[in-house]
Amino acid sequence: MRFATAAAPTAILAALFLTAAPALAQDAAEPAPAAAPAPTGEPTDAELAQFAAAMKTVQSVAASVQNGTPTEEQQAQMAGAVQNSGLAVERFNAISAAVSGDPVLQARAAVAGAAPSAPGSVGAGVTDAEAGQFAVAMAEISGIARALNGAQPNEEQQAQMAAAIQNSGLDIERFNAISAATAQDEHLQARIALAQARQAE
């Protein structure tokens, strides 16, 4: 489904980055004054935004890693991305581990890392409630669409899809507007994926 997120890349990157953590900890300990311990617990939205910013560079570097082991230079690049994000290495690693095992946190991180919907766009106007309603409708419609296997829906199937939309609380025009907007709006896609992840809990 187009709104799904993948757990595997984050898990792989977490494993790669863990090898860089000791080097960063040693380098950072010398010039920097003693810092307060990294907070624990569920990441805040601000921390997830920092994590997502760091992950963009980490993912880019990880894509160039050969034989599963980053070079010292690649480790330094990943460590620098984390430092520049404002997160402590330990906190980054803790968030990375949590995100890889929690679809809701993974979806929250995707929302935090996506560029905001353009002001005045359909996506910018979609409320959290509407994102949830759209996710509910899509779950049912997707089941019908899979059964079609690429064929055109008959009248009964069209009626079932229309009923799924109306039962979600959205009218069909609003559903279609949101559906069309998702193709161009990464932030809206991420918000809908978050609604789907929360519903699956």
Side-chain angles (χ1 to χ4, degrees), residues 5-24:
T5 55
T10 303
I12 291 166
L13 293 172
L16 285 174
F17 193 76
L18 288 172
T19 63
L24 174 61

Side-chain angles (χ1 to χ4, degrees), residues 55-113:
M55 280 300 286
K56 287 179 181 174
T57 299
V58 171
Q59 286 174 326
S60 175
V61 174
S64 65
V65 171
Q66 296 179 358
N67 302 324
T69 305
T71 64
E72 286 186 21
E73 182 182 346
Q74 289 167 328
Q75 289 181 12
Q77 287 176 314
M78 291 189 284
V82 174
Q83 281 184 319
N84 292 339
S85 76
L87 287 174
V89 175
E90 296 80 7
R91 185 59 175 160
F92 175 89
N93 286 336
I95 293 171
S96 183
V99 164
S100 69
D102 185 333
V104 171
L105 272 182
Q106 195 176 104
R108 283 179 57 204
V111 170

Side-chain angles (χ1 to χ4, degrees), residues 22 28 37 41 45 56 62 69 76 120 129 133-134 138 142 151 162 170:
D45 287 342
K56 287 179 181 174
T69 305
Q133 291 168 323
F134 184 86
M138 279 302 294
S142 296
L170 288 175

